[in-house]
């Protein structure tokens, strides 16, 4: 079953997409259901997909400490669409959870075949949130630079 377009459009990364682009993305997303206590993402492990929550709640935890609860319209894993890096938090189903998800290997051809979609997402500034989370010293100058 395709993801509801209204749900996808709530995600800042996808908010500027037109109807045709939303339809393409929605049809690529798959419904995923999780039971209470199921772990959807594990801190420190590679992420393979992006999820939007349609129904239910999930808990975000870092280093074993619960930080927040996600619900309808919340999302996680957007960096996994372009980067196979480690997850920054663990996501656990707090109640029965209905999500819509897409893997990086399903997402990549969608963007490659649609330059307008790729351009809108790059311009949105929401595709690389990790750039806002940390700074690393430049290898040449030693100055802190945003990555």
């Amino acid at each position: 079953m395709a993801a509801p377009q209204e749900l996808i459009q709530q995600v800042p990364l996808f908010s500027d997409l037109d109807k045709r682009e939303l339809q393409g993305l929605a049809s690529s997303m798959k419904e995923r259901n999780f039971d209470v206590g199921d772990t959807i993402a594990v801190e420190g492990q590679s992420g393979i997909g992006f999820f939007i929550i349609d129904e239910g709640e999930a808990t975000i935890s870092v280093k074993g400490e619960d930080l927040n609860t996600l619900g309808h319209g919340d999302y996680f894993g957007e960096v996994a669409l372009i980067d196979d890096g480690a997850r920054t938090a663990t996501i656990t189903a707090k109640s029965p959870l209905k999500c819509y998800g897409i893997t990086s290997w399903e997402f990549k051809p969608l963007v490659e075949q649609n330059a307008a979609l790729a351009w809108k997402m790059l311009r949105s500034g929401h595709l690389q949130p990790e750039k806002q989370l940390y700074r690393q010293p430049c290898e040449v100058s030693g100055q802190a630079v945003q990555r």
Side-chain angles (χ1 to χ4, degrees), residues 49-110:
F50 167 78
F51 295 91
I52 306 172
I53 297 174
D54 190 21
E55 298 173 8
E57 292 185 330
T59 301
I60 301 172
S61 60
V62 174
K63 297 181 181 174
E65 181 181 341
D66 291 352
L67 299 180
N68 204 352
T69 299
L70 301 173
H72 175 78
D74 290 327
Y75 58 93
F76 56 93
E78 64 275 20
V79 175
L81 293 176
I82 57 165
D83 178 1
D84 294 329
R87 296 284 190 176
T88 58
T90 296
I91 310 293
T92 307
K94 187 174 181 178
S95 67
L97 197 62
K98 178 180 172 183
C99 299
Y100 289 92
I102 188 167
T103 63
S104 58
W105 58 87
E106 292 168 322
F107 184 71
K108 185 179 177 184
L110 192 67

Side-chain angles (χ1 to χ4, degrees), residues 26 46 74 79 101 121 123:
S46 290
D74 290 327
V79 175
M121 291 174 59
R123 290 195 59 201

Side-chain angles (χ1 to χ4, degrees), residues 7-82:
L7 185 66
I8 296 171
Q9 207 160 24
Q10 291 177 25
V11 176
L13 177 62
F14 305 127
S15 63
D16 291 334
L17 302 183
D18 64 32
K19 187 175 181 173
R20 185 181 59 77
E21 294 161 340
L22 276 171
Q23 287 172 340
L25 181 58
S27 66
S28 297
M29 297 185 86
K30 312 254 184 317
E31 183 178 321
R32 297 285 314 269
N33 293 286
F34 300 93
D35 294 324
V36 174
D38 284 354
T39 302
I40 300 119
V42 178
E43 180 181 5
Q45 292 186 2
S46 290
I48 59 165
F50 167 78
F51 295 91
I52 306 172
I53 297 174
D54 190 21
E55 298 173 8
E57 292 185 330
T59 301
I60 301 172
S61 60
V62 174
K63 297 181 181 174
E65 181 181 341
D66 291 352
L67 299 180
N68 204 352
T69 299
L70 301 173
H72 175 78
D74 290 327
Y75 58 93
F76 56 93
E78 64 275 20
V79 175
L81 293 176
I82 57 165

